[in-house]
Amino acid sequence: MTKLVLRLERLSDAAADGSTSALDGTQERALHVVDLGDHGRAAVASTPLARWIATVAAAHDPCLVLDPEAQVLSMSVSAAELLGCTEGVIGRRLLDVIEVVDFETGRAAPDYAHQVAPIAVLTTGTGLMRSLLRVRQRDGMSMTVDAAAAPIHDATGATGGSFTFFAPIRG
């Protein structure tokens, strides 16, 4: 399987249009995704997966995008905080960057960890999946999180990744 290689660039919207008014730095900067596979600059993301990567990178809500091997392609800052992630999560497997703990025993890496919604939806490839998971945060405390995940399909209908929203369960 060929991996889509993406690079995030900060460009002024006017500069992307070829306008010289952006050279003085007065325009607001926008996030653009460049598909390096076509050796050119794309003003917008060029594939469904690339569009979700760009959306998640700019999102305020806790969300993430995984590739078919459950590697993190994009994660919002709020998701990193909620899930207890440290820096350097992009390109690593989700279960290597979050610590899922067992609901009953509190032990790390329960047998069912690979069945949480963001990962399980990659194997089914259809429909929305939800699951609760408990993660250990940076301060050592555990947080229960509701995860709602959906597959991301490419132009041929194959599952190219997953998109997940998270919500903390408080109480």
Side-chain angles (χ1 to χ4, degrees):
M1 172 179 248
T2 305
K3 284 202 175 246
L4 176 66
V5 180
L6 299 172
R7 178 181 68 200
L8 296 177
E9 290 186 343
R10 295 205 176 271
L11 300 172
S12 163
D13 283 336
D17 294 338
S19 170
T20 58
S21 66
L23 298 177
D24 62 11
T26 59
Q27 301 254 338
E28 183 177 328
R29 294 176 112 37
L31 188 65
H32 294 270
V33 176
V34 178
D35 183 346
L36 296 177
D38 68 8
H39 305 290
R41 172 178 277 155
V44 296
S46 57
T47 65
L49 186 58
R51 287 190 289 276
W52 280 114
I53 290 169
T55 300
V56 167
H60 295 285
D61 296 312
C63 53
L64 66 79
V65 173
L66 299 179
D67 74 4
E69 288 79 38
Q71 293 178 355
V72 178
L73 295 177
S74 186
M75 180 182 283
S76 67
V77 172
S78 58
E81 292 170 359
L82 179 65
L83 299 174
C85 297
T86 58
E87 292 186 24
V89 300
I90 305 301
R92 295 176 55 201
R93 295 179 56 82
L94 180 62
L95 293 179
D96 292 340
V97 298
I98 67 170
E99 185 178 353
V100 177
V101 296
D102 189 87
F103 280 95
E104 294 179 14
T105 66
R107 292 186 189 151
D111 293 340
Y112 60 81
H114 67 282
Q115 295 173 344
V116 297
I119 299 169
V121 76
L122 293 168
T123 58
T124 64
T126 59
L128 179 68
M129 294 188 85
R130 289 185 71 187
S131 66
L132 293 179
L133 58 143
R134 184 164 289 158
V135 295
R136 190 162 335 273
Q137 295 184 309
R138 291 182 203 152
D139 62 5
M141 299 299 293
S142 294
M143 165 72 71
T144 302
V145 178
D146 182 13
I152 300 171
H153 299 286
D154 63 17
T156 68
T159 301
S162 71
F163 172 74
T164 305
F165 271 114
F166 297 97
I169 305 296
R170 305 202 193 273

